[in-house]
């Protein structure tokens, strides 16, 4: 009988320790913010191409001189469609004069699809910021139309 009491006490203590040590884990949403700043002397249009099944979705964004564009995505459930830095390819036009085409991670300091060309800032545990600033160097290193 004493052995039953000891085992019952150990079982109760073990169960209480197990219940107290269990914590609920909640996945936090991860947010990514993207900023594009036009410090060049030319209006910019950015056309993004996203392949979806058998078709291609095309979206164009315009950034006037000394203006900026911001985008945000929630990575767990947000759609990457239309997010410039997450597209399949991109065309950047400087006015009607010059143009650049980029694919992800192509080796160029002017490729807006290459994350190493952004200024990165960790704003919070679940929020990151990426900033790309267009300058006259971007314009000079693009191709004539």
């Amino acid at each position: 009988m004493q052995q039953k009491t000891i085992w019952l006490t150990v079982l109760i203590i073990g169960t209480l320790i197990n219940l107290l040590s269990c914590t609920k884990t909640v996945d936090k949403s991860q947010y990514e913010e993207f900023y594009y700043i036009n410090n060049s002397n030319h209006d910019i249009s950015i056309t993004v191409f996203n392949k979806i099944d058998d078709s291609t979705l095309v979206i164009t964004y315009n950034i006037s001189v000394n203006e900026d564009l911001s985008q945000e995505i929630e990575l767990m459930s947000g759609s990457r469609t239309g997010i410039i830095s997450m597209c399949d390819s991109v065309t950047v036009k400087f006015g009607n004069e010059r143009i650049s085409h980029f694919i992800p991670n192509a080796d160029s300091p002017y490729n807006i699809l290459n994350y190493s060309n952004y200024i990165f800032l960790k704003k919070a545990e679940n929020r990151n910021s990426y900033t790309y600033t267009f300058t006259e160097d971007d314009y000079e290193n693009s191709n004539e139309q």
Side-chain angles (χ1 to χ4, degrees):
M1 181 72 169
Q2 186 177 10
Q3 189 176 11
K4 272 187 165 181
T5 305
I6 292 172
W7 279 109
L8 186 58
T9 305
V10 169
L11 180 63
I12 291 171
I13 291 171
T15 303
L16 287 173
I17 290 171
N18 190 30
L19 288 173
L20 293 174
S21 66
C22 290
T23 58
K24 186 176 181 180
T25 303
V26 177
D27 288 334
K28 289 185 178 179
S29 296
Q30 179 66 36
Y31 295 91
E32 304 287 305
E33 301 171 351
F34 299 93
Y35 299 97
Y36 301 91
I37 301 169
N38 184 359
N39 282 348
S40 75
N41 295 322
H42 309 276
D43 290 339
I44 294 174
S45 68
I46 302 170
T47 303
V48 299
F49 302 90
N50 286 298
K51 182 136 177 77
I52 302 171
D53 298 323
D54 293 333
S55 62
T56 301
L57 177 65
V58 179
I59 301 173
T60 300
Y61 300 96
N62 296 303
I63 310 173
S64 299
V65 175
N66 296 321
E67 297 290 327
D68 60 70
L69 170 71
S70 63
Q71 297 183 311
E72 180 179 300
I73 184 170
E74 192 273 305
L75 294 180
M76 294 293 282
S77 62
S79 171
R80 69 180 196 97
T81 303
I83 301 295
I84 293 170
S85 67
M86 298 180 177
C87 68
D88 297 320
S89 65
V90 66
T91 298
V92 179
K93 291 183 182 179
F94 295 89
N96 290 321
E97 303 165 27
R98 299 182 77 89
I99 190 167
S100 294
H101 301 284
F102 298 110
I103 58 173
N105 297 320
D107 190 28
S108 167
Y110 307 102
N111 184 356
I112 66 172
L113 300 183
N114 188 332
Y115 283 89
S116 65
N117 294 332
Y118 286 75
I119 295 172
F120 172 77
L121 176 63
K122 185 159 191 71
K123 290 186 163 182
E125 181 181 331
N126 65 333
R127 185 172 293 275
N128 296 322
S129 167
Y130 300 85
T131 301
Y132 187 92
T133 301
F134 292 95
T135 65
E136 277 303 294
D137 285 342
D138 291 273
Y139 173 81
E140 294 296 328
N141 286 284
S142 59
N143 301 311
E144 289 185 17
Q145 283 191 326

